[in-house]
Amino acid sequence: MSKKIYLYGNWKMNMTRPETEGFFKAFAAELAAPELSAAVGKTLEVAVFPPFTSVVTAKNSADSLNKAIAPIVGAQNVYFEQSGAFTGEVSIPMLKDAGASHVILGHSERRVIFGESDELIAKKVKAALSADLIPVFCYGETLQEREGDKTSDVVKRQISALGGLSSEELKKIIYAYEPVWAIGTGKSATSAEAQEVCALSKKLIEGLGAAGPVVVLYGGSVKPDNAKEILSMDAIDGALVGGASLKADSFLKIYKSYAGI
Ligand code: PEP
């Protein structure tokens, strides 16, 4: 139980500024527990990804906490161009100015609802890395693809879209395997299914030439009651959590249930 756990919360299109402040208040109260505060920054890395409008509030709230327990603040999307006529988009310099250090890219909701292609996502990943914004690169198969025995092919295709990156760039990315059928459905992958694809992912990323071991998270209906089994798998370094990350107590309970505290 000594491995480092990455606990990343994707708030999706939730959390106004007052709700964000409320989250951080509750987060600080939870972190008053010594077993938990002792873990943060050592065996636990916490990050939250608010909607754009709450990134500054989240960063200010994080900065007002003791540095040792403050979570990382990221965003949920970014465009690859620096500035200009791209109505509705937000640039990397803007995100950095708002205080984000990480950005989720390739989430299945962006791929499926907004039609983002592997090529576009790869451009965004490259642009983020060039500006020292850490991408949390999401990928995973649909239910139809899993049932058609296409999981490995799909994951291979999605990961190989990153083939133009350098070894160091590949190493900096946080990878998140998120089977589409498990996101927001309450139906998590079994720990064995998640382990199998996360292990395959590590092989594929290594095959692209990553400079050393990479971090691979699992995402899809992770909750306090299934966290221990999933996070105990050796190819899984942490969880990208949607629904259960909106409240500080259920979010942190995911780590607590893994660590037995
Ligand atoms: C997600 O949106 O990345 C996610 C994993 O959602 P949920 O935990 O709600 O399935």
Side-chain angles (χ1 to χ4, degrees):
M1 204 283 298
S2 57
K3 71 176 178 181
K4 177 171 172 179
I5 294 291
Y6 295 76
L7 183 63
Y8 281 19
N10 172 15
W11 290 354
K12 312 196 191 199
M13 199 169 72
N14 299 292
M15 305 294 261
T16 60
R17 290 178 300 155
E19 285 167 344
T20 299
E21 281 166 357
F23 173 93
F24 275 87
K25 245 185 221 148
F27 183 88
E30 290 284 328
L31 266 289
E35 312 95 302
L36 211 48
S37 61
V40 183
K42 297 176 191 79
T43 49
L44 171 63
E45 176 172 303
V46 185
V48 293
F49 296 80
F52 290 135
T53 49
S54 291
V55 169
V56 173
T57 304
K59 181 62 177 154
N60 288 343
S61 302
D63 287 348
S64 72
L65 298 177
N66 177 340
K67 221 181 166 127
I69 62 156
I72 289 167
V73 175
Q76 299 170 19
N77 187 26
V78 79
Y79 197 53
F80 63 84
E81 295 283 4
Q82 292 292 298
S83 63
F86 302 101
T87 302
E89 294 297 323
V90 166
S91 72
I92 291 166
M94 288 168 184
L95 279 195
K96 293 191 74 176
D97 177 56
S101 59
H102 290 51
V103 63
I104 295 175
L105 292 171
H107 191 279
S108 67
E109 287 150 18
R110 298 297 319 170
R111 292 177 186 265
V112 175
I113 305 172
F114 300 99
E116 292 198 8
S117 64
D118 288 330
E119 195 193 355
L120 173 63
I121 295 158
K123 272 190 182 169
K124 293 182 176 193
V125 169
K126 176 85 187 158
L129 285 165
S130 308
D132 276 334
L133 191 63
I134 299 180
V136 179
F137 171 75
C138 303
Y139 59 95
E141 80 288 2
T142 62
L143 184 58
Q144 199 184 11
E145 288 162 343
R146 175 158 284 263
E147 287 175 349
D149 218 5
K150 297 269 187 294
T151 300
S152 322
D153 292 347
V154 171
V155 164
K156 210 178 216 168
R157 190 202 77 225
Q158 291 170 325
I159 289 178
S160 51
L162 303 178
L165 301 177
S166 71
S167 309
E168 285 69 29
E169 287 175 325
L170 287 164
K171 165 95 180 106
K172 280 184 195 154
I173 298 170
I174 305 279
Y175 298 84
Y177 166 57
E178 298 206 307
V180 181
W181 48 271
I183 297 177
T185 58
K187 186 180 187 303
S188 166
T190 64
S191 53
E193 286 167 336
Q195 159 76 13
E196 191 185 348
V197 183
C198 289
L200 168 70
S201 308
K202 288 188 171 177
K203 255 196 210 133
L204 294 169
I205 299 158
E206 211 174 279
L208 289 182
V214 293
V215 173
V216 178
L217 316 183
Y218 165 78
S221 297
V222 176
K223 305 210 164 27
D225 59 7
N226 60 13
K228 188 175 173 66
E229 209 189 320
I230 291 171
L231 294 176
S232 300
M233 305 309 283
D234 63 14
I236 301 176
D237 299 301
L240 181 55
V241 183
S245 72
L246 297 176
K247 296 261 180 276
D249 62 344
S250 58
F251 187 39
L252 290 167
K253 227 184 239 171
I254 288 171
Y255 177 76
K256 289 202 274 187
S257 88
Y258 163 74
I261 55 178

